[in-house]
């Protein structure tokens, strides 16, 4: 379609993703072949400049081969590691029978999610602790298979130590927040929405947010970072082209991403906002779809394992849906009328973004979580303004800790409202577990819907002309 002529990186990114997906299922012994194939395709692309179609095909195949070259092969391999040094990289998170802990292994550079049997010693683990552990298959660490000791922290890279220091600071902020007291459920939600710590969320709260379609506000993502970006922009008094203001904004959003754990969704959003800031400094227009494609390509080339992360998939598909469908939805309503009715403009814009994001993520949500939240539009009308108030309030609480009481009241009201939505008729459709083929077909249907809406909008525009 002509739309993609303005986003040439999108098909190349799709080729890279296809190469990673295919390459991850091939035997590692075949990886030596891909650099040779890549070299051959680069030569073919260079030599076929007289035949644009052949050159285009060769370039796209190059990206497929690059994906196959960087594809991971050991993401599901079992392992059994005898006693070795490790560093705790997360606070223990409660599970029904275990405590989940992220461990950094200095000897291999890996980060592994492990499960410790519940006991008092395991509950006292904190970020940065040095351990000697034996990790068994299935990632369980038995009570007698770990002890404190070693010098793992000093063996980490400088970047890993900086990241752990930021997480330690987050732990101090969480401890300070909990010292204020208040409802445990509200505290857990506030910690998740502002600092990315979901360890305190109970199964009941998780289920409430999932059924109501509000799970996205519990996982820090582009929504949260965009709100913080806008709030900080207000503090610059609107001088968006002032270079010092833009530099401070970029530093602030990356500091927040580092503080909250550098999830894939936050890295995506921070990278895109950084690119937008660079365009703003140069006074140039940016192509959002091209920026999204470049960001995905960059992240996958750095870490191809990110493709198999649920947060990465949902984040990019939500953003892709918004960038594709929102401009189409805006063609069906007079922009002059919306400018004269500010409330209607806000409501329509929020509805467009919500529906577009749902179109991008619904097949994946059904595949991974087996449900579809039917009241997602009503939920978003509530949680997005609430998230803005909560994030702004969290900034105030850093300066005035006494304001935490009012902030927790807002969070508590949000929890109660979402619990009410879960009790509404047909709050969610359960038992949806489509196969990978069915998910692919659902996205084909979404693509057909996009093409149909685009055609209708073009016809309507020609009739009006």
């Amino acid at each position: 379609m002509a739309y993609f002529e303005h986003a040439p990186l999108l098909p190349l990114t799709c080729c890279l993703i296809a190469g990673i997906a295919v390459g991850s299922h091939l035997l590692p012994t075949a990886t030596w072949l891909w650099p040779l194939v890549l070299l051959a395709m680069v030569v073919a692309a260079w030599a076929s400049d007289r035949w644009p179609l052949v050159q285009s095909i060769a370039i796209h195949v190059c990206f497929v081969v690059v994906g196959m070259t960087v594809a991971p092969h050991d993401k599901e391999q079992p392992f059994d590691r005898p006693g070795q040094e490790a560093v705790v990289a997360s606070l223990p998170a409660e599970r029904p029978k275990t405590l989940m802990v992220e461990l950094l292994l200095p000897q291999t550079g890996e980060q592994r999610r492990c499960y410790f049997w519940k006991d008092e010693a395991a509950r006292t683990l904190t970020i940065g602790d040095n351990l000697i552990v034996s990790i068994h298959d299935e990632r369980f660490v038995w009570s007698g298979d770990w002890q404190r000791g070693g010098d793992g922290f000093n063996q980490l890279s400088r970047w890993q130590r900086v990241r752990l220091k930021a997480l330690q600071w987050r732990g101090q902020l969480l401890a300070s927040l909990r010292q204020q007291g208040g409802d445990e459920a509200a505290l857990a939600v506030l910690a998740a929405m502002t600092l990315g710590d979901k360890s305190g969320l109970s199964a009941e709260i998780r289920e409430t947010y999932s059924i109501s379609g509000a799970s996205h506000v519990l996982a820090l993502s582009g929504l949260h970072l965009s709100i913080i970006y806008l709030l900080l922009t207000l503090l610059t008094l609107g001088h968006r082209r002032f270079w010092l203001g833009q530099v401070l904004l970029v530093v602030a959003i990356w500091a927040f991403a580092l503080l909250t754990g550098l999830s894939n969704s936050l890295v995506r959003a921070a990278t895109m906002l950084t690119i937008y800031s660079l365009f703003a400094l140069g006074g140039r227009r940016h192509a959002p779809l091209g920026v999204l494609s470049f960001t995905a390509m960059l992240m996958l080339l750095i870490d191809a394992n990110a493709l198999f992360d649920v947060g990465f998939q949902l984040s990019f598909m939500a953003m892709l849906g918004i960038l594709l469908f929102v401009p189409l939805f805006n063609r069906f309503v007079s922009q002059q009328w919306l400018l004269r009715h500010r409330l209607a403009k806000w409501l329509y814009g929020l509805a467009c973004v919500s529906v577009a994001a749902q179109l991008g993520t619904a097949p994946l949500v059904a595949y991974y979580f087996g449900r579809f939240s039917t009241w997602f539009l009503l939920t978003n009308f509530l949680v997005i303004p609430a998230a803005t108030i909560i994030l702004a309030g969290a900034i105030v609480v850093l300066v005035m800790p006494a304001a935490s009481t009012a902030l927790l009241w807002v969070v508590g009201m949000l929890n109660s409202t979402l619990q009410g939505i879960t009790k509404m008729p047909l709050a969610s459709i359960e038992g949806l577990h489509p196969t990978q083929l069915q998910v692919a077909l659902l996205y084909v249907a979404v693509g057909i819907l996009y093409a149909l809406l685009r055609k209708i909008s073009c016809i309507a525009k020609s009739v009006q002309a």
Side-chain angles (χ1 to χ4, degrees):
M1 289 182 287
Y3 184 85
F4 298 110
E5 292 178 1
H6 302 287
L9 285 180
L10 181 59
L12 296 179
T13 303
C14 292
C15 289
L16 180 68
I17 291 172
I20 293 174
V22 172
S24 64
H25 290 89
L26 300 179
L27 294 175
T29 54
T31 55
W32 65 270
L33 180 63
W34 306 132
L36 298 179
V37 176
L38 178 60
L39 178 61
M41 295 310 303
V42 169
V43 172
W46 174 76
S48 57
D49 58 324
R50 296 184 179 181
W51 303 280
L53 179 60
V54 175
Q55 187 177 51
S56 178
I57 293 174
I59 291 174
H60 284 75
V61 173
C62 283
F63 277 83
V64 174
V65 177
V66 169
M68 298 173 73
T69 303
V70 302
H73 297 280
D74 60 345
K75 60 182 186 298
E76 295 296 337
Q77 287 185 0
F79 60 93
D80 187 66
R81 304 282 171 79
Q84 64 171 331
E85 293 182 321
V87 182
V88 177
S90 72
L91 294 174
E94 288 278 349
R95 291 296 181 265
K97 297 182 179 180
T98 61
L99 295 172
M100 186 186 74
V101 180
E102 298 279 351
L103 294 181
L104 282 172
L105 308 179
Q107 296 176 358
T108 62
E110 299 173 278
Q111 179 164 323
R112 291 288 186 177
R113 177 174 293 178
C114 300
Y115 300 88
F116 286 64
W117 291 109
K118 291 183 179 180
D119 55 36
E120 289 304 317
R123 292 181 187 277
T124 62
L125 291 175
T126 188
I127 296 171
D129 284 351
N130 290 317
L131 304 179
I132 304 294
V133 299
S134 294
I135 306 174
H136 299 287
D137 196 10
E138 304 301 330
R139 303 182 183 180
F140 284 109
V141 179
W142 306 93
S143 298
D145 285 341
W146 70 273
Q147 60 181 343
R148 297 179 183 273
D151 191 35
F153 185 86
N154 291 326
Q155 297 177 32
L156 298 174
S157 67
R158 184 183 298 274
W159 165 248
Q160 288 175 318
R161 293 199 298 270
V162 169
R163 180 167 171 266
L164 286 183
K165 288 292 186 182
L167 292 177
Q168 288 174 344
W169 186 35
R170 182 183 74 166
Q172 294 172 4
L173 291 175
L174 287 170
S176 176
L177 179 64
R178 290 176 177 133
Q179 285 177 0
Q180 303 298 322
D183 180 60
E184 287 296 327
L187 281 169
V189 171
L190 181 60
M193 291 181 62
T194 58
L195 293 172
D197 178 68
K198 296 189 287 186
S199 61
L201 294 173
S202 65
E204 180 182 359
I205 286 293
R206 291 175 184 269
E207 189 72 0
T208 296
Y209 275 73
S210 178
I211 292 175
S212 62
S215 292
H216 57 286
V217 300
L218 292 179
L220 290 180
S221 63
L223 168 66
H224 304 75
L225 207 57
S226 297
I227 293 172
I228 292 173
Y229 183 85
L230 291 175
L231 292 173
L232 293 176
T233 300
L234 294 176
L235 297 178
T236 65
L237 302 179
H239 300 299
R240 297 190 59 188
R241 294 180 184 276
F242 183 50
W243 70 269
L244 181 59
Q246 290 298 312
V247 170
L248 292 176
L249 284 173
V250 170
V251 171
I253 61 176
W254 278 106
F256 177 75
L258 179 63
L259 175 67
T260 54
L262 287 175
S263 66
N264 282 318
S265 56
L266 274 186
V267 170
R268 189 272 305 164
T271 303
M272 292 187 68
L273 288 174
T274 301
I275 296 173
Y276 289 158
S277 295
L278 292 175
F279 277 106
L281 284 174
R284 302 183 61 180
R285 297 179 59 186
H286 57 267
L289 198 56
V291 174
L292 179 68
S293 303
F294 174 76
T295 302
M297 187 181 297
L298 182 64
M299 290 180 64
L300 290 174
L301 289 175
I302 293 174
D303 180 16
N305 274 307
L307 180 62
F308 305 99
D309 178 72
V310 178
F312 177 92
Q313 297 173 15
L314 291 175
S315 176
F316 274 93
M317 291 309 299
M319 198 64 197
L320 182 62
I322 291 170
L323 295 180
L324 290 178
F325 281 96
V326 169
L328 285 183
F329 294 154
N330 287 334
R331 295 182 183 182
F332 291 95
V333 177
S334 170
Q335 296 303 304
Q336 290 77 13
W337 184 86
L338 289 177
L339 287 174
R340 292 195 302 268
H341 302 81
R342 295 298 180 89
L343 178 60
K345 179 181 178 182
W346 179 80
L347 292 173
Y348 184 73
L350 184 53
C352 288
V353 170
S354 300
V355 173
Q358 197 72 15
L359 286 170
T361 59
L364 284 176
V365 171
Y367 177 75
Y368 286 113
F369 306 108
R371 69 163 41 119
F372 176 79
S373 301
T374 56
W375 294 101
F376 71 90
L377 193 56
L378 173 61
T379 296
N380 281 329
F381 279 125
L382 297 171
V383 299
I384 292 180
T388 304
I389 294 172
I390 291 168
L391 288 170
I395 296 175
V396 174
V397 168
L398 289 176
V399 181
M400 300 171 56
S404 62
T405 302
L407 185 58
L408 288 173
W409 180 83
V410 173
V411 178
M413 288 296 296
L414 177 61
N415 290 347
S416 299
T417 304
L418 293 180
Q419 286 173 359
I421 292 178
T422 63
K423 298 175 182 178
M424 295 174 66
L426 297 175
S428 68
I429 301 173
E430 304 291 334
L432 301 176
H433 294 286
T435 64
Q436 292 182 0
L437 176 60
Q438 289 171 330
V439 170
L441 292 176
L442 285 172
Y443 277 115
V444 170
V446 172
I448 294 173
L449 175 63
Y450 171 80
L452 181 62
L453 290 175
R454 185 174 173 81
K455 186 68 174 178
I456 292 173
S457 67
C458 291
I459 294 174
K461 186 177 180 180
S462 63
V463 170
Q464 293 174 357

